[in-house]
Amino acid sequence: MKLKSVFFSLVALMYATMVYAQEPAEIKLVSPDKTRGTAVMKALSDRHSERAFEDKKLSDQDLSDLLWAANGINRPDGKRTAPSASNKQEIDLYVILAEGAYLYNAKTHSLQGIAQGDLRPLVAGGQAFVKSASVCIVLVADYTRSGGTSAGNKQTAAVDAGLICQNINIFCAATGLATVPRSSMQKAELSKALKLKDTQEAIINNPVGYPKK
Ligand SMILES: Cc1cc2nc3c(=O)[nH]c(=O)nc-3n(C[C@H](O)[C@H](O)[C@H](O)COP(=O)(O)O)c2cc1C
């Protein structure tokens, strides 16, 4: 009897390890709607940081449009909605959903699975409201694409991340979504959970959701 229960515990442990080690399946995003949103002056007038979200998942269309607006491809040569210094495009968007973490692939406009489970608490750090955001977008610099980790390259990456972050802020203002740019996060734990290399660094994040009524 004892041996039997040890056996079943071992099987359960192996199963749990296999499930959690698996990467979530790729998510194909719907086509972005490039016609929506208010005029730019209205969006600038409405932009503000918001730190309270409805407990509601973003619609497929909102998630697709948000990511395309943030740093999607907007020209046939592969350039993006956000400029980047020397077009190095060293910033990646990690998309943290309740069910798992994904990497935004702008070429295929899809989400590549990175890790199972809810990593929003690691993005939240000490700010509990982040855990109720439908999605957190974490902007991660990959210094192998921008010539290394010199102070100059780090500064440029921070500016490039800031430009993507502002695309998110303005998109949210133009479409009635809530967001706040945040440099707080549990960087070391989050980097590990996102399987980042030593040459990658999480710079800033935007929790996004529907504003709390
Ligand atoms: C680089 C940067 C880092 C920020 N980090 C945080 C943060 O960790 N947590 C937070 O609640 N707000 C953060 N903010 C939001 C600012 O507090 C906010 O923009 C500021 O209070 C002005 O308010 P507004 O965005 O509504 O104009 C950050 C803003 C910037 C630009």
Side-chain angles (χ1 to χ4, degrees):
M1 184 67 185
K2 229 179 170 185
L3 248 179
K4 211 172 170 186
S5 65
V6 169
F7 172 77
F8 282 119
S9 305
L10 271 176
V11 170
L13 187 70
M14 277 166 66
Y15 176 76
T17 312
M18 271 162 57
V19 167
Y20 286 106
Q22 271 172 10
E23 287 154 3
E26 185 188 26
I27 298 176
K28 275 271 171 205
L29 296 163
V30 299
S31 295
D33 175 357
K34 299 176 188 170
T35 63
R36 69 185 289 196
T38 63
V40 69
M41 291 302 265
K42 170 91 170 81
L44 288 167
S45 167
D46 289 343
R47 194 221 55 87
H48 64 282
S49 293
E50 207 154 327
R51 298 179 180 82
F53 308 102
E54 285 290 320
D55 181 17
K56 188 177 160 195
K57 266 184 83 163
L58 281 195
S59 70
D60 291 348
Q61 192 67 58
D62 283 341
L63 182 62
S64 165
D65 295 353
L66 169 69
L67 293 167
W68 184 83
N71 203 28
I73 291 174
N74 68 355
R75 280 158 288 170
D77 62 3
K79 288 184 177 172
R80 317 286 273 265
T81 56
S84 80
S86 305
N87 194 33
K88 294 270 171 66
Q89 299 184 9
E90 78 276 53
I91 306 298
D92 286 313
L93 279 67
Y94 282 77
V95 179
I96 315 297
L97 301 172
E99 60 270 27
Y102 298 81
L103 176 64
Y104 175 56
N105 183 332
K107 281 193 188 130
T108 52
H109 194 58
S110 66
L111 296 178
Q112 178 198 326
I114 297 290
Q116 301 266 10
D118 187 0
L119 301 186
R120 290 175 302 175
L122 299 182
V123 183
Q127 293 190 292
F129 74 87
V130 176
K131 291 184 247 175
S132 62
S134 172
V135 53
C136 295
I137 302 176
V138 182
L139 303 183
V140 174
D142 183 342
Y143 296 115
T144 59
R145 299 211 288 267
S146 62
T149 53
S150 68
N153 283 336
K154 284 197 163 200
Q155 187 182 41
T156 303
V159 173
D160 288 347
L163 292 163
I164 297 170
C165 174
Q166 185 67 342
N167 278 358
I168 297 171
N169 298 328
I170 298 301
F171 171 80
C172 288
T175 56
L177 295 175
T179 193
V180 52
R182 298 178 62 250
S183 46
S184 326
M185 56 191 132
Q186 284 174 233
K187 266 197 188 183
E189 295 86 343
L190 187 61
S191 303
K192 198 170 167 212
L194 293 176
K195 304 169 190 171
L196 300 186
K197 295 172 283 182
D198 290 347
T199 49
Q200 288 179 287
E201 182 184 9
I203 296 184
I204 196 159
N205 67 78
N206 275 79
V208 179
Y210 296 111
K212 190 120 190 147
K213 286 178 197 134

